[in-house]
Amino acid sequence: MMNVFCKTLIASALTTATLSSAYAADPLTVYGKLNVTAQSNDVNDESTTTIQSNASRFGVKGAFELSSSLEAFYTVEYEVDTGDDAKENFKARNQFVGLRGNFGAFSVGRNDTMLKVSQGKVDQFNDLSGDLKNLFKGENRIEQTATYITPSFSGFKVGVTYAADGAKSQYSQDGFSVAAMYGDSGLKKSPIYASVAYDSDVKGYEVVRATVQGKIAGFKLGGMYQQEEKTYGDDGVATVGAESKSGYLLSAAYQIEAVVLKAQYQDMEDKGESWSLGGDYKLGKPTKLFAFYTNRSYENIDNDDSYFGVGLEHKF
């Protein structure tokens, strides 16, 4: 039986083909990446070997010019877990539709919160075992959101995400995620990127986050500071007397021709710390080989967790 993703993809392609012929719309873009590692994982003092997928994905996106000053846009994206034994191994990622123009961009659907977006590229081990989400709260993709992002004013822009109380992950509470950002997160159009973000009752937490990354003497150096406080428990009941916890992250990358060397350290109060080392070797623009080692220790637990992986990533 054809799974839901295939049905959605075919329906999207047919719709786009119809629009293209009738209204000369922009063609639908199919995109994605496969990131798979062979790993040795030592977790809770037990060792396992895995061939695992790291947020591999498949999606379609497009835009349609409604007028000289207004454009409709959309994205339908799924995670593809190559290591899952289930045949229907698709999980929903960002899926939204919106309008953009001189006023900025407004979208509705399933989307990353602005606090999550505000991290830019500071996490050098994003989607791998050293991903900052293992110690920091706030890396949220909420299923019922409305997001508005202003136009860029001299490199500055502001975004806000509203998370509806009807979303299951919101514990029947409205949530807001706000971020102010400066510069290009890819550090291609500007030598520095910086942001300040705040979550209010998003997935049961209040979070304040500040991020900065820049290029200095061939290095990409980054830092993040975060404070977080639990506001709602898993049962949907407000948390009373919860203490605010703080943490930080430092990251660095240095490129030598086709090789990128990376390092990262992260610490969260009363939770633990993590450090990672790794390197990427670019075989071509869409393809790279990479290797990494991550060590993570938790408060009040004697044995550290460690992860060593060698992998291949191809984007299309």
Side-chain angles (χ1 to χ4, degrees):
M1 180 176 177
M2 188 178 295
N3 62 35
V4 175
F5 173 72
C6 291
K7 291 180 179 178
T8 302
L9 182 58
I10 290 173
S12 300
L14 290 174
T15 302
T16 301
T18 302
L19 288 174
S20 295
S21 60
Y23 303 105
D26 292 336
L28 174 147
T29 299
V30 177
Y31 70 95
K33 74 173 183 179
L34 286 167
N35 184 305
V36 180
T37 50
Q39 289 193 203
S40 174
N41 305 322
D42 190 345
V43 180
N44 294 326
D45 206 25
E46 293 186 5
S47 296
T48 58
T49 300
T50 60
I51 307 295
Q52 67 185 58
S53 177
N54 304 296
S56 298
R57 64 202 65 170
F58 194 100
V60 294
K61 62 183 178 181
F64 180 74
E65 186 176 312
L66 300 170
S67 69
S68 59
S69 59
L70 186 64
E71 183 179 64
F73 64 95
Y74 65 91
T75 292
V76 178
E77 183 177 294
Y78 286 85
E79 179 179 341
V80 184
D81 189 349
T82 65
D84 196 320
D85 62 352
K87 293 181 179 179
E88 296 186 4
N89 61 343
F90 295 100
K91 300 176 183 178
R93 287 178 58 87
N94 290 338
Q95 301 168 348
F96 55 81
V97 63
L99 297 171
R100 59 189 172 210
N102 296 331
F103 61 88
F106 175 78
S107 62
V108 288
R110 183 188 301 270
N111 214 342
D112 292 340
T113 65
M114 287 308 306
L115 184 135
K116 184 177 189 299
V117 171
S118 74
Q119 72 164 272
K121 307 292 185 181
V122 73
D123 186 356
Q124 293 293 342
F125 295 86
N126 184 47
D127 293 333
L128 301 176
S129 300
D131 193 307
L132 66 83
K133 69 182 180 182
N134 291 292
L135 292 180
F136 285 0
K137 296 295 183 179
E139 297 300 287
N140 297 317
R141 179 178 297 114
I142 306 298
E143 64 272 24
Q144 297 183 29
T145 67
T147 297
Y148 170 69
I149 302 177
T150 69
S152 179
F153 298 102
S154 300
F156 288 93
K157 59 183 178 180
V158 176
V160 57
T161 298
Y162 165 70
D165 59 8
K168 185 176 181 180
S169 58
Q170 281 300 111
Y171 309 120
S172 299
Q173 297 295 318
D174 291 312
F176 293 89
S177 182
V178 184
M181 299 159 285
Y182 172 76
D184 171 27
S185 61
L187 300 179
K188 295 180 180 179
K189 298 179 181 179
S190 64
I192 190 170
Y193 170 78
S195 67
V196 177
Y198 172 68
D199 271 5
S200 175
D201 289 335
V202 177
K203 213 168 183 178
Y205 275 84
E206 182 176 283
V207 180
V208 177
R209 174 181 290 182
T211 304
V212 63
Q213 188 178 31
K215 291 181 178 178
I216 302 174
F219 287 88
K220 284 185 180 180
L221 301 178
M224 177 184 289
Y225 174 78
Q226 176 157 316
Q227 286 187 334
E228 58 188 49
E229 181 179 329
K230 192 167 188 176
T231 56
Y232 284 86
D234 295 339
D235 54 2
V237 177
T239 301
V240 179
E243 294 184 6
S244 175
K245 308 296 183 181
S246 61
Y248 65 93
L249 176 146
L250 300 172
S251 66
Y254 185 75
Q255 185 167 353
I256 307 172
E257 297 182 349
V259 176
V260 178
L261 303 176
K262 303 186 295 185
Q264 187 160 290
Y265 177 78
Q266 184 181 9
D267 181 87
M268 172 52 72
E269 181 183 359
D270 292 342
K271 190 169 186 179
E273 62 181 10
S274 174
W275 59 269
S276 300
L277 297 173
D280 300 344
Y281 178 71
K282 184 174 288 189
L283 297 171
K285 186 175 181 180
T287 310
K288 70 178 182 181
L289 291 168
F290 63 93
F292 71 89
Y293 176 81
T294 293
N295 181 276
R296 185 178 303 115
S297 60
Y298 293 100
E299 297 286 341
N300 302 319
I301 296 179
D302 293 334
N303 298 312
D304 293 357
D305 294 344
S306 62
Y307 310 81
F308 173 72
V310 178
L312 176 65
E313 178 182 274
H314 179 75
K315 296 180 178 180
F316 56 90

